[in-house]
Amino acid sequence: MKQEFTVNEGNRKLIIIFAGWGMDASPFRHLRLDGHDIAVVWDYRDMTLDSTPFRKYSDIYLFAWSFGVYVAARTLASGTLNPTIKVAVNGSLNPIDDNEGIPEAIFRGTLDNLSERNLDKFYRRMCKDAASYAAFKADMPCRDIAGLKDELQAIADMSADKDADISVDWDRAIIAGNDRIFPPDNLRRAWSYLPRTRKIADGGHLPDWQSLIEQEIIDKSLVAQRFSRSASTYDDNADVQRHIAEKLWELWRDATENPPLSILEAGYGTGMLTRLYTSHWHPYRISLWDLAPIDIELPEAGEIIAGDAEELIRLMPEDYYEAIASASAMQWFDSPERWLQNAALTLADGGIIAISTFGPDNMRELTSVTRLPLRYYTTDELSSMIPDGCNIITMEEERIVKNFDSPREVLNHLKLTGVNAMRRHGTNIRDILSRYPLTDGKATLTYHPIYLIIKKV
């Protein structure tokens, strides 16, 4: 493989893109995301990847595209990389396959008849329209036909190896509805087992990379900004979040034999959950973490720390807290599974992790309009994330439906509570207002909280 940093500014986070066949780094040079370096991998004639430059990063966000999905899976299975999230884009783990990939006859025809003219036809079919092709052509890869033929043959040889280890847990898969390289129906079959599969109805095989990475990577600075703006209006409007905090506290308290002497709360917000447990328990150490910390009344034992809970948890010593809690915050984590693993390490034996997050039906009405990326996990998926040495004491879920007189009131509610922090979703406010689903003239908004009480044995 060849690899190149297109952005190398000493950031702590890295986006790495396993590109498709026929690529080099050129089409990706304009990509930027604040706080992230970017590296591109391509040319799969040689499967050797030098991961040394990537080891310095605290988080790696892996995007694999087209044939790069299969190559990335083989690379990940070898343990060469350990990404925070893994997103498959318009590709399959069976890349040459009549049912789940590119049909074999089409692949063989491309390989046998490859020429400069046919390569240009491929690039045109890869792009969804003339504007997309013109933009791609401005940053055209510089590859020779002989090398491209060799790469196609190498991919064919790899995919024929049915014993290869490609057992990778992907976080999300993206399927373009107008993909003229990988048939969309084949990709739907290929990813039918993955709950978080997002379909882009009008997308072509070549994605809008800037929009895609902005949608798929949570902008935690924007999360902090939105919550900061809503801090003064949050408590008066976040009735569902108050109910969730009260329910979580009830389940946590019922599962606790002896009041914990040390508590970590990640994402304490305005202190809804904090006030509940501090009014009953009196630990000697309370640590409150938040991206956008605000001053709340605390006992003398309390401390407030500004920061990203996913990064802070890695710095904590083992067996440091007797309880770890988080209400309505874990959905903003890049990798809830990794956070739970790190939380378990810093939890003392016999300690409790009390979590509330949201399930797949959360804000389903808004999602039906915006087609936002799916960041919510099912109870089965959350169960599979439980760290070794921990047991589930309680897992419950609810669906709470709020009624509003109009879609505009829904959007105002989201603004006053700060719960919507997507960078961009490609749908303007006018379209949301006109397309928002109504029931008997009313606009509903569904919350789908999931409560999880875990004990370290």
Side-chain angles (χ1 to χ4, degrees), residues 321-345:
Y321 295 103
E322 293 187 3
I324 298 175
S326 181
S328 303
M330 199 167 74
Q331 69 275 8
W332 299 118
F333 295 170
D334 288 315
S335 176
E337 181 174 12
R338 184 172 295 185
W339 188 83
L340 286 170
Q341 291 171 349
N342 288 324
L345 290 175

Side-chain angles (χ1 to χ4, degrees), residues 1-3 18 41-51 71 75 80 158:
M1 300 182 208
K2 293 183 173 62
Q3 57 198 69
F18 278 71
V41 177
W42 76 96
D43 192 348
Y44 304 130
R45 291 175 289 181
D46 177 358
M47 282 293 290
T48 304
L49 178 70
D50 179 12
S51 63
V71 174
T75 303
T80 304
M158 279 189 287

Side-chain angles (χ1 to χ4, degrees), residues 266-409:
Y268 71 92
T270 60
M272 283 183 174
L273 179 62
T274 315
R275 288 187 289 272
L276 292 170
Y277 64 77
T278 55
S279 65
H280 290 78
W281 295 337
H282 305 286
Y284 68 83
R285 184 173 67 246
I286 302 174
S287 297
L288 304 181
W289 298 351
D290 207 284
L291 289 168
I294 63 174
D295 289 332
I296 64 172
E297 186 175 345
L298 271 178
E300 186 176 343
E303 64 173 355
I304 291 176
I305 297 176
D308 182 346
E310 289 189 274
E311 296 185 7
L312 292 172
I313 198 72
R314 300 170 191 162
L315 307 177
M316 293 294 102
E318 294 185 7
D319 305 325
Y320 194 64
Y321 295 103
E322 293 187 3
I324 298 175
S326 181
S328 303
M330 199 167 74
Q331 69 275 8
W332 299 118
F333 295 170
D334 288 315
S335 176
E337 181 174 12
R338 184 172 295 185
W339 188 83
L340 286 170
Q341 291 171 349
N342 288 324
L345 290 175
T346 195
L347 188 68
D349 290 346
I352 294 285
I353 300 176
I355 298 288
S356 70
T357 185
F358 293 98
D361 283 342
N362 199 59
M363 298 191 184
R364 62 190 180 193
E365 299 89 348
L366 187 62
T367 302
S368 71
V369 178
T370 64
R371 304 295 180 187
L372 296 175
L374 301 177
R375 302 199 180 280
Y376 305 119
Y377 295 86
T378 66
T379 53
D380 287 343
E381 290 176 301
L382 290 169
S383 296
S384 71
M385 297 179 189
I386 304 307
D388 292 340
C390 295
N391 293 330
I392 296 176
I393 304 301
T394 305
M395 177 175 280
E396 296 185 11
E397 59 183 324
E398 296 179 290
R399 286 169 178 80
I400 303 167
V401 179
K402 284 183 65 69
N403 293 295
F404 298 89
D405 289 334
S406 68
R408 189 173 294 280
E409 285 195 10

